[in-house]
Amino acid sequence: MRIVIAEDNALLREGLILLLTSSGHEVVADAATGPEVLPALLEHRPDVAVLDVRLPPSFRDEGLRAALAARADMPDLPILVLSQYVEETYAAELLAQGVRGIGYLLKDRVGRVDQFLQALERVAAGGTALDPEVVSQLLTRKSSAQPLKSLTAREREVLEHMAQGKANGTIATDLVVSERAVSKHIGSIFAKLGLEPEDGTVHRRVLAVLAYLEGRPGVKGPR
């Protein structure tokens, strides 16, 4: 894959470059400040962008802003955002921009090399990769809302794993249940949330659920 990286921490940036190139990918450009990001994305049009949320000069949301600006010109640009902490506003804003190729990981996850590379590949292929901690906080904040509180404990577990971008087989393995049981739980989740998956892909189901939790327009509520 051809990748653009934006990260102001030189040690982490060089570490990412080394990790990705040694894994067979090509880092076509890297940036250390917010103003560098958009020109690099528009020039190289990478297969995926790996961006820190906070970049110089203001260390606020320059990375995210550049990513969203690039998506205005390249709607299908896969974006994997890295953040030091869970910042729900940024996660929600990123998710609101589209249903394909979106990832939001805490930087601690980069140290788990296999998980990071799997997440990167999933995002580049048009899927989703949301950090478990991000998902947990989004769900916890909305746990008192109807009809979310109607979910059973097991359905909430399945929902959290879905939101991380996991396939049914992986969820079944993680929860030590059958894949058929996972499918039944997912069917029950969609019924209780009033959501109907338009197709069988994981990322569309995940974003539909998260869109509902965040009250985004265009998602059907309970019937």
Side-chain angles (χ1 to χ4, degrees):
M1 291 185 291
R2 300 173 65 257
I3 302 168
V4 167
I5 294 174
E7 168 59 55
D8 66 292
N9 183 304
L11 184 60
L12 178 55
R13 185 174 66 252
E14 293 303 319
L16 283 169
I17 293 172
L18 179 61
L19 169 62
L20 294 171
T21 53
S22 64
S23 299
H25 303 301
E26 180 186 3
V27 177
V28 294
D30 63 273
T33 69
E36 298 177 70
V37 179
L38 184 57
L41 293 174
L42 294 178
E43 176 183 352
H44 295 281
R45 297 183 175 264
D47 298 315
V48 61
V50 179
L51 310 173
D52 188 359
V53 170
R54 298 173 181 265
L55 292 169
S58 71
F59 290 98
R60 297 185 63 181
D61 59 355
E62 288 87 347
L64 180 64
R65 292 281 143 248
L68 300 182
R71 270 209 158 187
D73 187 76
M74 298 176 285
D76 295 327
L77 173 67
I79 299 169
L80 177 57
V81 168
L82 303 179
S83 181
Q84 189 69 43
Y85 311 102
V86 177
E87 300 176 274
E88 295 176 15
T89 300
Y90 295 152
E93 187 167 1
L94 183 66
L95 291 168
Q97 298 303 310
V99 298
R100 291 184 58 82
I102 291 294
Y104 189 105
L105 296 182
L106 296 182
K107 289 186 177 180
D108 287 348
R109 201 71 53 185
V110 177
R112 304 171 192 181
V113 174
D114 289 343
Q115 291 184 27
F116 172 69
L117 291 176
Q118 289 171 11
L120 183 67
E121 291 171 2
R122 189 156 65 239
V123 170
T128 56
L130 303 182
D131 196 282
E133 185 62 27
V134 174
V135 174
S136 178
Q137 289 201 23
L138 287 173
L139 291 178
T140 298
R141 186 159 56 84
K142 293 289 185 176
S143 61
S144 62
Q146 285 284 9
L148 186 61
K149 66 181 181 181
S150 67
L151 300 182
T152 66
R154 176 61 82 181
E155 288 167 352
R156 283 177 58 82
E157 284 184 309
V158 171
L159 180 59
E160 289 194 30
H161 284 268
M162 287 171 61
Q164 293 166 34
K166 296 179 181 178
N168 289 10
T170 303
I171 296 174
T173 299
D174 289 349
L175 297 182
V176 196
V177 298
S178 69
E179 192 166 343
R180 181 178 180 182
V182 171
S183 296
K184 289 181 65 176
H185 287 310
I186 291 174
S188 178
I189 289 167
F190 276 107
K192 290 179 179 180
L193 297 183
L195 299 167
E196 297 181 3
E198 298 178 358
D199 59 32
T201 59
V202 175
H203 69 271
R204 288 190 185 278
R205 297 181 304 169
V206 171
L207 292 179
V209 171
L210 290 179
Y212 178 85
L213 296 179
E214 287 300 300
R216 298 295 172 189
V219 179
K220 297 178 181 179
R223 289 173 295 179

